[in-house]
Amino acid sequence: EVQLVESGGGLVKPGGSLRLSCAASGFTFSSYSMNWVRQAPGKGLEWVSSISSSSSYIYYADSVKGRFTISRDNAKNSLYLQMNSLRAEDTAVYYCARGADYGSGSYYVYWGQGTLVTVSS
Amino acid sequence: SYVLTQPPSVSVAPGKTARITCGGNNIGSKSVHWYQQKPGQAPVLVIYYDSDRPSGIPERFSGSNSGNTATLTISRVEAGDEADYYCQVWDSSSDLWVFGGGTKLTVL
């Protein structure tokens, strides 16, 4: 059974940093692209970042470019999102999602349950 | 940047057909994926590549895509279909994923 479990969310002050993790199991992690998607309270889905299976291709939404860094450790079956210079508008539930194949342009087959990030003073 | 436009809400009576649209400039040239999200839950893929259904998704869910509009069609709507639905495309010209704003489906 495919499982994606996010962790690392919490309350952080504006300008602060946080590192999210997504632990994957039930599939060959190194064969699939991975993604981060967020959802602000009461709002719609917003794509954040994607990384190909071998980390060769990495993409970011304009809203987080230069502040967030996506990475993965295929040996540990884990996906990460380093978030710096956090703003109030980054407050959201952050989901990790697995792509359908190795490329960053593949749709999202599986999603985790999300971790809440709150940016507030 | 590429924009996807969805109606904020669609209402339908049980047993009827719901159609949720997703508008975008020449969206017919792109592959559209659809997700269902129920309150407090993670999204679930219901249609990929315009009209393909993942295993476990009822045949009542179908999709089409042409011109400037993609459509998710839910036949014989049930109370359990009440959810938010999001369309998604990969904008290869910008290397960005784009989600529509979402449509809340209400079953009357």
Side-chain angles (χ1 to χ4, degrees):
Chain A
E1 178 193 6
V2 171
Q3 283 199 320
L4 298 170
V5 180
E6 302 93 338
S7 61
L11 176 63
V12 61
K13 289 181 168 55
S17 298
L18 213 55
R19 189 195 197 205
L20 305 183
S21 298
C22 173
S25 61
F27 64 99
T28 304
F29 182 74
S30 59
S31 295
Y32 295 92
S33 62
M34 296 296 295
N35 310 271
W36 288 101
V37 176
R38 69 184 181 183
Q39 186 169 36
K43 302 298 184 181
L45 301 176
E46 180 188 13
W47 170 73
V48 173
S49 183
S50 297
I51 185 168
S52 61
S53 59
S54 61
S55 303
S56 297
Y57 297 95
I58 289 176
Y59 305 102
Y60 297 99
D62 290 343
S63 58
V64 306
K65 196 174 295 183
R67 300 188 299 123
F68 290 11
T69 302
I70 191 172
S71 63
R72 63 190 295 163
D73 186 333
N74 287 345
K76 294 184 178 179
N77 292 341
S78 294
L79 174 72
Y80 306 101
L81 186 68
Q82 177 66 44
M83 304 186 296
N84 299 331
S85 304
L86 283 161
R87 307 166 180 167
E89 54 265 36
D90 295 319
T91 294
V93 173
Y94 284 73
Y95 295 100
C96 73
R98 197 203 85 175
D101 58 37
Y102 61 88
S104 301
S106 59
Y107 53 90
Y108 306 167
V109 183
Y110 297 101
W111 297 65
Q113 284 304 306
T115 186
L116 176 63
V117 172
T118 303
V119 184
S120 175
S121 55
Chain B
S1 60
Y2 196 76
V3 176
L4 295 175
T5 301
Q6 297 183 237
S9 63
V10 167
S11 298
V12 63
K16 300 299 185 182
T17 298
R19 294 180 179 84
I20 298 172
T21 59
C22 176
N25 185 34
N26 197 26
I27 195 174
S29 67
K30 302 181 184 299
S31 293
V32 180
H33 317 300
W34 290 91
Y35 301 88
Q36 174 195 70
Q37 186 182 33
K38 297 181 179 179
Q41 297 184 20
V44 172
L45 178 71
V46 292
I47 292 289
Y48 63 99
Y49 289 145
D50 298 340
S51 59
D52 290 340
R53 268 180 298 104
S55 60
I57 299 301
E59 291 183 7
R60 301 183 297 104
F61 288 80
S62 62
S64 63
N65 184 20
S66 178
N68 293 318
T69 305
T71 303
L72 172 68
T73 301
I74 309 172
S75 305
R76 303 181 300 283
V77 167
E78 303 174 356
D81 298 331
E82 192 163 276
D84 293 325
Y85 291 85
Y86 296 90
C87 56
Q88 180 201 37
V89 301
W90 171 252
D91 180 16
S92 57
S93 65
S94 306
D95 287 335
L96 299 173
W97 278 107
V98 181
F99 282 99
T103 298
K104 181 177 180 59
L105 176 67
T106 300
V107 181
L108 300 171

